[in-house]
Structures are given as C-alpha cells and as structure tokens.
Amino acid sequence: MTAWIRRLIHGRDRTEQRPSEAALEQAIAAREQAEARQPVVTAVAAKLRRAREENHFRERIEAAFRGAAQ
C-alpha cells in the first residue's frame, strides 16, 4: 500500500510536522539564540584574555625581581 493511501485511510492530518521538520526548526531556533548571545560571549572572552595577559606580565615581572631566568 502506498503512503498516500495509508494516510487517506488512517486520516492522518496533512499539517502534522514530520520529526525532521521539527528538528530543523529547533536547530534554527538554537542558532538564532546562539547568535544573539555572541556579543556577550565575545565580551567575556576578551575580558578573560586581558586577565590572562595581565597575569602573564605580572608573573614575568615578579620573576625578574626574584632574579629568575626568563
């Protein structure tokens, strides 16, 4: 029996979404949410990068005062 006959007999609603369509919509929504968060993520990453660089320079300065090799 072909699929369209089966749908006709069982009365399946034609507007029902297939799982793949629902998954696609969820993926699109997730991507939009991730893109909306991107500026915040970028700002936090820049702040962490600056803190890491400051720590690196602080360690080098402290090592220089202790007389350690650089």
Side-chain angles (χ1 to χ4, degrees):
M1 192 182 311
T2 63
W4 69 272
I5 294 174
R6 225 179 340 221
R7 282 194 302 270
L8 186 63
I9 292 171
H10 296 294
R12 185 174 176 187
D13 188 10
R14 299 186 88 205
T15 61
E16 183 180 322
Q17 284 189 333
R18 292 189 173 127
S20 60
E21 292 172 350
L24 177 61
E25 288 180 5
Q26 289 175 350
I28 290 170
R31 181 179 179 152
E32 289 172 352
Q33 290 173 354
E35 288 173 349
R37 288 189 305 265
Q38 186 61 35
V40 175
V41 171
T42 302
V44 170
K47 184 177 179 180
L48 292 172
R49 192 176 304 113
R50 282 192 302 271
R52 185 183 68 224
E53 289 172 358
E54 289 172 4
N55 271 347
H56 173 71
F57 290 124
R58 183 179 306 121
E59 290 171 0
R60 289 188 65 181
I61 290 170
E62 289 173 357
F65 280 122
R66 285 193 308 264
Q70 295 181 8

